[in-house]
Amino acid sequence: MRRHQRRRGSPERETGEGMSQHPHLFSRYCMHCGQRLISAVPEGDTRRRLVCFDCGFVHYINPRPVAAVIPVSERGEVLLVRRDIEPRRGTWVFPGGFMDLGETAEEAARRETREEAHLEVGELKLLGVYTRTAPGIVLIVYEGQAIGTPSAGHETSEVAWFAPEAIPWGSLAFDSTVAALRDWARKHGHPVPDDLPSPADL
Amino acid sequence: MRRHQRRRGSPERETGEGMSQHPHLFSRYCMHCGQRLISAVPEGDTRRRLVCFDCGFVHYINPRPVAAVIPVSERGEVLLVRRDIEPRRGTWVFPGGFMDLGETAEEAARRETREEAHLEVGELKLLGVYTRTAPGIVLIVYEGQAIGTPSAGHETSEVAWFAPEAIPWGSLAFDSTVAALRDWARKHGHPVPDDLPSPADL
């Protein structure tokens, strides 16, 4: 899903360290009635939430699911795409993106693979779930046999196949990218560096 | 996470059929600046979104991750809890609930198991991911060895152990509950009814 340019009040604001935060952390107004939200502990709850004292709406801030696929070729290579968007423009990641309401995780993973790499994938096998707590992202990663020939899609400047021993560990996008590819490699008996680099986890 | 009672504008509105919908579908005002939202296709996007023409904020509606555990006893029985909240009050489900910002899926699954069944669980193994598209819920289910003796916690009227062949398929809460318990039973070689009932998937 493309995030378009915003003039002001960007929900993907970056701090000085470049750390993305959840866009709803900046909420000030009730999305139901437009009144100011107040920070308070709702009845029966244990944590402070953003509450509308006018209409009673509680603005729970939910982490956001991202669905992704590690496409694998017949030769056992994995497809990565080079990010052409911030954060971490220029680094490598497998295809994936925010789920839309109305689609399943598998459907979202296939759609994103189609959009970013013009590629179809066969049966999806669940590899793992990886939480990035700061921006509130829950990454759901599948692996699947690649069908067809990929090419760079939107949000992507380049696509490339990597043999398991040639995965560019030092140029991956996020900690969750490293963790998922590490789990994929170990699952299939491929070598993984002892000292895996930890990218700035945006 | 307890959802407290709301006076008006409840984000968990039920339709005539009792189908829960995503609370953000009812958004009318920009949470950043309080102006009215407009339905429009953002630049570079392909779908209509709720957009603020004043500050540029796009109100993406993300599905919400729910983390859950199927606790398993030393005898190979599974722990289910009887729901004491709507929707589907009185039906059986394994412990789980909405993730909070700042915790991982595993942490949320353990917290909910503690809150709803006063139970700890050992190492968590990922079982599956199940999307309920209508309310926009992505259910992440682990299995884990139960530690200690459970009792009914909040949002729960009763806890009980079920042998695999005694799982109450006809009294489970959601389609996703049936699907996850079916996958758990099959994974461990237990029988599953041929004609699994489909609860009203709220």
Side-chain angles (χ1 to χ4, degrees):
Chain A
M1 181 196 310
R2 178 173 286 270
R3 306 303 200 180
H4 88 142
Q5 293 301 315
R6 292 167 194 86
R7 288 184 294 130
R8 299 187 266 135
S10 166
E12 296 278 352
R13 288 181 200 192
E14 309 289 326
T15 68
E17 297 73 42
M19 176 73 77
S20 285
Q21 288 192 294
H22 195 296
H24 292 197
L25 281 175
F26 304 100
S27 298
R28 289 191 297 271
Y29 297 91
C30 176
M31 65 180 83
H32 285 220
C33 75
Q35 298 303 304
R36 289 291 292 223
L37 293 167
I38 311 287
S39 174
V41 179
E43 185 189 331
D45 204 337
T46 55
R47 290 181 56 157
R48 296 186 84 83
R49 314 279 179 186
L50 291 169
V51 179
C52 179
F53 278 31
D54 193 68
C55 79
F57 179 70
V58 181
H59 184 130
Y60 295 104
I61 302 179
N62 299 109
R64 298 161 292 167
V66 165
V69 181
I70 298 178
V72 182
S73 74
E74 287 187 2
R75 288 173 303 182
E77 297 173 329
V78 297
L79 184 83
L80 300 180
V81 302
R82 196 190 282 276
R83 290 175 67 83
D84 198 26
I85 50 166
E86 295 296 348
R88 304 279 292 158
R89 185 191 294 258
T91 58
W92 293 96
V93 69
F94 38 78
F98 289 100
M99 289 176 63
D100 269 335
L101 200 63
E103 64 186 358
T104 67
E106 292 89 341
E107 288 166 352
R110 289 181 191 281
R111 175 181 53 72
E112 291 284 348
T113 305
R114 212 172 285 133
E115 289 177 4
E116 297 184 353
H118 300 142
L119 189 73
E120 299 294 330
V121 278
E123 186 195 354
L124 296 182
K125 288 183 197 162
L126 184 60
L127 175 71
V129 172
Y130 307 86
T131 311
R132 294 166 55 203
T133 54
I137 284 175
V138 182
L139 175 67
I140 301 160
V141 183
Y142 298 91
E143 54 182 318
Q145 206 69 32
I147 300 169
T149 303
S151 60
H154 83 202
E155 306 184 351
T156 297
S157 62
E158 191 180 349
V159 299
W161 293 106
F162 292 90
E165 58 274 16
I167 289 171
W169 298 105
S171 313
L172 298 178
F174 306 106
D175 274 350
S176 54
T177 316
V178 174
L181 283 169
R182 176 201 62 201
D183 289 352
W184 177 83
R186 282 187 183 153
K187 178 178 173 181
H188 296 285
H190 300 302
V192 173
D194 289 334
D195 53 341
L196 280 175
S198 181
D201 196 354
L202 302 181
Chain B
M1 180 195 313
R2 178 173 287 272
R3 305 301 200 184
H4 87 143
Q5 294 300 317
R6 291 168 196 85
R7 289 184 294 131
R8 299 187 267 135
S10 166
E12 296 279 350
R13 288 182 200 193
E14 309 289 324
T15 69
E17 297 74 41
M19 177 73 76
S20 286
Q21 288 192 296
H22 195 297
H24 291 198
L25 281 174
F26 303 101
S27 298
R28 291 190 296 270
Y29 297 91
C30 177
M31 64 180 84
H32 284 222
C33 74
Q35 297 304 305
R36 291 291 293 224
L37 292 168
I38 310 287
S39 173
V41 179
E43 184 189 330
D45 204 337
T46 55
R47 290 183 54 158
R48 293 187 86 81
R49 315 278 179 188
L50 292 168
V51 180
C52 178
F53 278 29
D54 193 66
C55 79
F57 180 70
V58 181
H59 185 129
Y60 294 105
I61 302 178
N62 299 109
R64 299 161 292 166
V66 165
V69 180
I70 298 178
V72 184
S73 74
E74 286 186 1
R75 289 175 302 184
E77 297 174 330
V78 298
L79 184 84
L80 300 180
V81 302
R82 196 191 281 275
R83 290 175 66 83
D84 198 26
I85 50 167
E86 295 297 347
R88 303 280 292 158
R89 185 190 294 258
T91 57
W92 293 97
V93 69
F94 38 78
F98 289 100
M99 288 177 64
D100 269 334
L101 200 62
E103 64 187 359
T104 67
E106 292 90 341
E107 287 165 352
R110 289 182 190 281
R111 175 180 55 72
E112 290 285 349
T113 306
R114 212 173 286 134
E115 289 176 5
E116 296 183 353
H118 300 144
L119 189 73
E120 299 293 330
V121 279
E123 186 196 355
L124 296 181
K125 288 182 199 162
L126 185 61
L127 175 71
V129 172
Y130 308 86
T131 311
R132 293 167 56 204
T133 54
I137 284 175
V138 182
L139 176 66
I140 300 160
V141 183
Y142 298 91
E143 54 182 317
Q145 206 69 31
I147 299 169
T149 304
S151 61
H154 83 203
E155 305 184 351
T156 298
S157 63
E158 189 180 352
V159 299
W161 292 106
F162 292 90
E165 58 274 17
I167 289 171
W169 298 105
S171 312
L172 297 179
F174 306 106
D175 274 349
S176 53
T177 317
V178 174
L181 283 169
R182 177 201 62 201
D183 289 352
W184 177 84
R186 283 187 182 153
K187 178 178 173 181
H188 296 286
H190 300 302
V192 173
D194 288 335
D195 52 342
L196 280 176
S198 181
D201 196 354
L202 303 181

